[in-house]
Amino acid sequence: MFNYLNELNPQQREAVLHLDGPLMIIAGAGSGKTKVLTTRIAHLMANGVDSFKILALTFTNKAAKEMKERVEKILINREARNLYIGTFHSVFARILRAEAPRVGYPTAFTIYDTDDAKSVLKTVINELHLDDKIYKPATVYNRISSAKNALVTAEEYAKDFGLQQEDARANRPAIAQVYTAYAKRCFKNGAMDFDDLLLQFYLILKNHPDALHKYQHKFSHIMIDEYQDTNPAQYEIIKLLGAMHENVCVVGDDAQSIYAFRGATIENILLFRKDYDDVKIIKLEQNYRSTKQILNVANQVIGNNKGQIPKELWTENGEGDKIKLVRTMTDNDEGKFVADAIQEQKLRNHFFNRDFAILYRTNAQSRAMEESLRRMNIPYTIFGGISFYQRKEVKDYVAYLRIIVNPSDEEALKRIINFPVRGIGKTSLDRLILVANEQSITMWEVLTRAASFGFKAGTLEAIENFVLMIKSFASMLKNSNAYDVAFHVGKQTGLVRELFNDKSTEGVQRYENVQELLNSIKEWVDDKQNRAQIDEDGVMLDEGMRDEGEGMREENAALFSANLEVEANGPEDPNTKKPLREDVLLSAYLQQITLLTDADNKDEHADTVKMMTIHAAKGLEFSCVFAVGLEEMLFPSAMSINTREELEEERRLFYVVITRAKHKLWISYANTRYKFGQVVQNEPSRFINELPEDHLDRSYAGGGFRNQSSGPSASERMKGWGGSGGATPQNRTYFNEPKKQPEKPTYLPIQPPVSKPIAHQPSADFSPSDTTDLKAGQQVEHQKFGFGEVLKMEGAAHNPIATIQFKLNGEKKIMLNYAKLRIVE
DNA sequence: CGACTGAGTCGGTGG
DNA sequence: GACTCAGTCG
């Protein structure tokens, strides 16, 4: 082991050497925070701390992964893999697999993402007969989320006079009811939302002394990254967990606190000092990232905020260029400028694509950038926006997997009950929900006992087949790993085949996405199995769950899979088959993917220009940064200019974007910009005025960059050929655009067949025939389309579809249940 | 039942 | 401009 301590400056070393007792590290941007954290972990282990007892919590999977890798690099032995490093959400989710039954949840509980949660909210809002124009799911979701982040349960919420008043003033007096109903429904579904992962864990620690005791012992040393981003729930949990050893080390930078909107509070930094008797405080102020010019600008900007923890970042790095201030006429010109500048820098200074980042306030701003980069043939990757696992086709597939692991999961059930079509339509679904609510049972229970609720014969048969199918999948859980189950499900349901048969561009993409999903499951299973083989003691300790004890684990594994079959096949002899190890089980996989974000699936090392929001860029660094859209109403956001607190958070955001840059920084704004399809004019951001003049290069700001081209602008020229700028999720990572796209829109899409039918006067004696036995080859007459010949018959028995070649109107697909056809011969 | 269409809406950041 | 929702039609 090399002497890692030599790599540190005095402050960093001091932080690493402080092994026991509370420690707070105030780490300025680019001051080597991750290095200190990882070195400290290594040092703890070198000094005899059991690697299983170290807990490190981050906010992103990426940060967790990086930390793991860097610890592994320092340590030569393989101890690093025993560390408990992860995001708050993933670590707590893992613990909850073992502890959730204490609060009445199943071990294989489902984690609802934001879409699932909003969908549940929509359901309960409707059931409460509230107007969903006023009680918008998104708004209500945020409100409930804030409550949970502040550890306010539905009960407490309803009792809190202040909250009731706030809601009344906002014309949403029934939020408390919605919260209660929502919580109840999630519980019934065996599902937790993101915030529940914190709230429920907290409740368990608070109400179950033995659980608290267990985890206090389990984690002798705790480290928290990005401490300024913690919310009260996280704060309280850390406080509980750390209360026994008091070996809590937090790292944060108040200047980079940008997550107040999801409940984070800087208060936690102040509170930390009060919670322990002697908190060691260390400041890291030497910046290793940026040039002097950039750092000076950053320092000045943040100086406009009141109440910062005093610190002054400095650097030994070179002077560097001045910051380039750019003004353009339109948002499209802004994009064009950025693309040109990237091209120029690549040629002149030999930068790679990967050296550039375009950072913006809102995701919507990516479009103008994309268009110009595409036009210049510059490869780019957009981070943020819709995650792979949120895509419809992927989510549908996953819904099947969810339902077999947790049949109470109503959201999953609703997605797939009639997909692919199996004759359980909206009417039947409504009925099902009605019965479930009346009887206070889950939809799944209604399905399993459908016969006793008087569904009509056809529907009943469809339901019974469906139930049988799901049960047969569930019976696989016990003996098969996640991949085998998933593969089987795809095959049996016809999901994969259906997508395969769709040869449209989107269809092919969807098929590929589903293949990708299967690959990811395979990879996950293989990875887990490989890791497992390394352990000699045969105990599954993968991510540090060893202390749970073997008995516990098997019990869990049995529980997961038993869930369904108990009713399906009767209790099984537990001795016939050994239960599968927990970590290759489908339920574990499902919980994990919900916590993945868009960024976790993309290659950050690819040689592409990176585009993302400033929020998403926190913790990252780039040689060249374009901070775009510095306009009033956009940055600062129109919604954040009413209070000092809000405005200061926007300013911190500005500070964050400046400090992402290592060598070169452009700050740009446009005079006009499209918003909701309309042009709006904006003033330059007030933050521009806070930039120190002597560090600015204004040669692009005097209107020097105008709409200089004589012809129509890039975006205008691109209009009309397809794609809304390529912002579709499928092709967000874009490599060398094939040159098939002409400079001018000479290509027009093929016109779809004429949609208006050529008039046909029905025969005088027209009367619809019984078409149940219609066969290919028969001659028919259609009320509107006229005479034709049946080419083929397809579709399910309850919904037959005929393809008919009409003499006047060409080939059409006709659904016999609705169309009126007369059989001629 | 489901694909299509026109109208209406739009508050942003994320695990 | 993009997305969702209610209504229409085959």
Side-chain angles (χ1 to χ4, degrees):
Chain A
M1 195 184 308
F2 68 99
N3 193 346
Y4 45 82
L5 293 178
N6 292 342
E7 313 271 305
L8 306 170
N9 71 31
Q11 292 74 34
Q12 292 175 331
R13 191 173 309 130
E14 195 185 356
V16 167
L17 292 176
H18 182 97
L19 293 181
D20 294 312
L23 170 65
M24 181 158 81
I25 304 169
I26 304 294
S31 61
K33 174 192 70 167
T34 310
K35 186 179 195 176
V36 168
L37 269 177
T38 52
T39 312
R40 186 164 181 275
I41 292 174
H43 195 58
L44 280 170
M45 288 161 66
N47 281 271
V49 176
D50 183 354
S51 56
F52 284 100
K53 294 195 149 193
I54 299 176
L55 169 69
L57 296 172
T58 65
F59 277 85
T60 64
N61 293 303
K62 221 181 125 201
K65 194 174 148 223
E66 190 188 350
M67 214 184 278
K68 256 185 213 167
E69 286 169 0
R70 283 173 73 161
V71 177
E72 269 168 27
K73 252 189 204 164
I74 302 174
L75 295 162
I76 298 174
N77 60 35
R78 297 197 52 87
E79 281 285 292
R81 37 190 301 287
N82 305 329
L83 294 164
Y84 219 102
I85 301 181
T87 65
F88 279 91
H89 289 89
S90 71
V91 167
F92 294 174
R94 224 182 298 139
I95 294 176
L96 281 170
R97 277 178 77 80
E99 306 296 341
R102 290 179 190 263
V103 283
Y105 271 94
T107 358
F109 63 90
T110 303
I111 299 174
Y112 277 169
D113 66 18
T114 327
D115 291 337
D116 296 318
K118 283 183 196 159
S119 167
V120 174
L121 276 169
K122 207 176 158 186
T123 318
V124 301
I125 286 166
N126 286 334
E127 284 173 5
L128 290 169
H129 304 294
L130 297 167
D131 184 353
D132 60 7
K133 293 270 161 10
I134 297 167
Y135 291 87
K136 280 180 235 156
T139 313
V140 179
Y141 177 79
N142 285 334
R143 184 83 177 148
I144 294 176
S145 174
S146 311
K148 287 184 178 175
N149 286 330
L151 298 173
V152 177
T153 62
E155 272 177 7
E156 288 165 332
Y157 193 103
K159 277 189 251 162
D160 189 294
F161 183 67
L163 290 171
Q164 298 313 305
Q165 274 197 319
E166 278 175 34
D167 285 338
R169 267 198 299 272
N171 198 27
R172 280 187 279 267
I175 296 263
Q177 277 169 269
V178 178
Y179 185 3
T180 306
Y182 170 74
K184 225 172 125 186
R185 183 61 64 93
C186 286
F187 183 77
K188 185 178 159 196
N189 292 359
M192 299 197 197
D193 64 20
F194 289 138
D195 305 310
D196 281 326
L197 296 176
L198 309 183
L199 177 61
Q200 300 297 342
F201 184 41
Y202 168 76
L203 291 175
I204 288 170
L205 292 179
K206 192 180 134 210
N207 299 327
H208 297 83
D210 59 317
L212 177 61
H213 184 77
K214 175 170 153 193
Y215 291 102
Q216 281 180 338
H217 272 272
K218 185 173 172 59
F219 302 124
S220 71
H221 288 78
I222 302 175
M223 265 166 272
I224 316 291
D225 192 17
E226 308 277 14
Y227 187 66
Q228 76 283 353
D229 289 337
T230 53
N231 61 37
Q234 289 156 333
Y235 167 82
E236 291 296 339
I237 292 171
I238 298 163
K239 195 171 153 188
L240 283 174
L241 287 178
M244 200 173 90
H245 294 95
E246 298 204 344
N247 293 326
V248 181
C249 163
V250 302
V251 185
D253 179 6
D254 55 317
Q256 294 186 65
S257 164
I258 53 174
Y259 280 109
F261 73 90
R262 63 179 196 207
T265 157
I266 317 186
E267 288 287 289
N268 288 351
I269 290 188
L270 308 173
L271 285 172
F272 187 83
R273 294 148 110 166
K274 290 186 193 151
D275 283 337
Y276 304 94
D277 287 335
D278 49 346
V279 177
K280 174 89 181 165
I281 297 176
I282 295 171
K283 287 184 195 171
L284 305 179
E285 295 176 293
Q286 181 175 2
N287 172 296
Y288 294 93
R289 178 185 294 154
S290 308
T291 63
K292 286 198 173 70
Q293 295 270 4
I294 291 170
L295 209 57
N296 284 336
V297 170
N299 277 334
Q300 291 231 21
V301 164
I302 201 65
N304 290 312
N305 273 6
K306 289 187 176 167
Q308 295 288 307
I309 294 176
K311 63 177 156 329
E312 187 83 8
L313 278 186
W314 59 277
T315 185
E316 288 175 353
N317 292 344
E319 191 65 21
D321 296 350
K322 289 185 173 182
I323 280 68
K324 287 165 275 290
L325 189 64
V326 182
R327 186 186 95 173
T328 63
M329 294 303 287
T330 70
D331 48 350
N332 289 326
D333 291 340
E334 188 184 38
K336 204 156 64 166
F337 175 87
V338 171
D340 285 343
I342 289 175
Q343 194 73 303
E344 187 197 337
Q345 288 298 325
K346 276 164 66 177
L347 293 174
R348 205 206 287 244
N349 295 326
H350 306 290
F351 281 112
F352 294 99
N353 292 315
R354 61 169 173 272
D355 294 321
F356 299 92
I358 306 173
L359 307 177
Y360 33 74
R361 178 69 238 267
T362 67
N363 279 309
Q365 288 165 259
S366 67
R367 229 197 67 250
M369 298 294 142
E370 274 185 273
E371 283 181 6
S372 46
L373 289 182
R374 289 180 75 129
R375 207 176 137 260
M376 300 281 284
N377 250 323
I378 301 171
Y380 61 81
T381 309
I382 295 184
F383 288 79
I386 193 160
S387 145
F388 176 77
Y389 297 98
Q390 317 249 56
R391 297 194 185 148
K392 268 197 196 70
E393 63 276 16
V394 175
K395 221 171 162 178
D396 287 336
Y397 201 132
V398 167
Y400 271 98
L401 308 181
R402 275 165 58 175
I403 207 70
I404 62 180
V405 162
N406 171 17
S408 307
D409 182 351
E410 230 179 82
E411 288 307 310
L413 187 57
K414 282 194 219 165
R415 280 190 91 91
I416 54 153
I417 191 161
N418 200 33
F419 179 81
V421 186
R422 55 173 66 86
I424 310 175
K426 190 167 184 319
T427 326
S428 313
L429 184 62
D430 287 346
R431 192 98 187 278
L432 238 109
I433 294 170
L434 197 75
V435 175
N437 286 345
E438 271 173 3
Q439 310 272 325
S440 299
I441 53 179
T442 62
M443 275 172 68
W444 174 253
E445 283 173 276
V446 179
L447 287 175
T448 53
R449 290 156 45 198
S452 53
F453 296 116
F455 285 91
K456 64 179 185 199
T459 314
L460 189 61
E461 197 193 336
I463 289 177
E464 281 172 348
N465 286 337
F466 176 72
V467 169
L468 219 61
M469 179 176 73
I470 299 296
K471 282 185 176 172
S472 78
F473 294 155
S475 69
M476 270 190 84
L477 286 176
K478 209 174 275 157
N479 314 319
S480 313
N481 66 43
Y483 175 74
D484 294 335
V485 179
F487 184 83
H488 179 75
V489 167
K491 210 170 162 184
Q492 285 296 305
T493 54
L495 271 183
V496 176
R497 197 179 337 113
E498 178 148 319
L499 288 169
F500 182 75
N501 288 337
D502 185 350
K503 293 298 180 198
S504 64
T505 322
E506 301 82 24
V508 170
Q509 187 63 58
R510 281 197 289 267
Y511 176 74
E512 281 169 8
N513 285 339
V514 165
Q515 289 304 323
E516 189 52 42
L517 170 70
L518 285 169
N519 289 344
S520 92
I521 302 178
K522 183 97 177 83
E523 251 171 59
W524 182 81
V525 169
D526 288 350
D527 180 54
K528 297 280 165 179
Q529 281 171 342
N530 291 341
R531 278 163 163 271
Q533 281 162 8
I534 302 163
D535 303 318
E536 299 93 17
D537 56 0
V539 178
M540 272 322 302
L541 35 76
D542 174 43
E543 329 262 343
M545 284 305 267
R546 182 172 71 167
D547 284 7
E548 250 54 82
E550 295 85 70
M552 181 76 144
R553 216 163 7 254
E554 300 207 346
E555 223 169 89
N556 283 347
L559 249 175
F560 299 143
S561 40
N563 214 352
L564 264 170
E565 292 117 87
V566 172
E567 15 177 329
N569 313 327
E572 287 220 347
D573 182 358
N575 298 321
T576 48
K577 294 279 179 188
K578 264 170 73 180
L580 238 85
R581 291 196 336 254
E582 138 153 22
D583 67 330
V584 291
L585 285 181
L586 190 54
S587 53
Y589 173 80
L590 292 174
Q591 289 181 339
Q592 180 229 221
I593 58 168
T594 317
L595 299 172
L596 292 180
T597 59
D598 177 59
D600 298 318
N601 289 311
K602 287 183 175 156
D603 179 8
E604 77 249 41
H605 302 298
D607 187 25
T608 58
V609 173
K610 306 298 183 293
M611 296 170 59
M612 66 192 89
T613 64
I614 301 169
H615 282 90
K618 190 158 76 130
L620 308 179
E621 58 180 32
F622 304 92
S623 270
C624 305
V625 166
F626 295 87
V628 302
L630 261 286
E631 293 141 39
E632 285 292 303
M633 313 303 279
L634 183 64
F635 193 5
S637 158
M639 294 151 260
S640 304
I641 49 176
N642 298 318
T643 67
R644 165 173 294 281
E645 288 71 32
E646 288 170 344
L647 192 64
E648 293 205 344
E649 175 144 323
E650 295 285 308
R651 189 176 285 112
R652 289 193 292 270
L653 200 52
F654 190 40
Y655 175 78
V656 168
V657 73
I658 294 171
T659 53
R660 294 314 94 196
K662 285 153 81 172
H663 303 116
K664 290 170 188 287
L665 173 64
W666 288 258
I667 294 175
S668 68
Y669 60 98
N671 289 351
T672 66
R673 177 177 298 278
Y674 275 92
K675 199 182 181 189
F676 301 142
Q678 278 187 320
V679 180
V680 289
Q681 277 207 317
N682 282 326
E683 303 276 302
S685 168
R686 66 189 74 190
F687 297 143
I688 300 264
N689 299 327
E690 299 178 5
L691 297 169
E693 205 52 52
D694 50 333
H695 294 295
L696 282 189
D697 171 359
R698 282 185 175 271
S699 50
Y700 300 104
F705 189 89
R706 292 200 181 261
N707 217 349
Q708 10 141 277
S709 61
S710 42
S713 77
S715 62
E716 277 160 354
R717 267 178 286 149
M718 295 218 10
K719 261 177 205 148
W721 32 282
S724 43
T728 49
Q730 292 84 356
N731 60 356
R732 292 199 124 200
T733 291
Y734 158 81
F735 285 93
N736 297 317
E737 175 75 19
K739 297 263 172 159
K740 67 184 179 197
Q741 300 198 344
E743 280 301 302
K744 285 179 190 166
T746 50
Y747 161 81
L748 288 172
I750 299 157
Q751 292 298 318
V754 197
S755 53
K756 277 225 167 109
I758 296 168
H760 165 75
Q761 276 301 327
S763 318
D765 61 339
F766 186 95
S767 68
S769 317
D770 176 17
T771 49
T772 30
D773 293 322
L774 196 70
K775 287 186 181 57
Q778 283 187 290
Q779 300 294 320
V780 293
E781 179 186 3
H782 186 272
Q783 222 172 355
K784 279 191 187 149
F785 299 143
F787 295 97
E789 180 183 335
V790 179
L791 295 180
K792 63 172 174 176
M793 297 295 304
E794 59 194 330
H798 59 87
N799 185 26
I801 299 163
T803 308
I804 300 175
Q805 177 71 42
F806 290 103
K807 292 197 172 89
L808 293 174
N809 287 295
E811 194 177 305
K812 292 210 181 301
K813 292 204 171 201
I814 304 285
M815 297 174 87
L816 297 182
N817 288 357
Y818 309 102
K820 293 186 170 59
L821 278 184
R822 181 175 74 94
I823 297 175
V824 179
E825 57 181 70

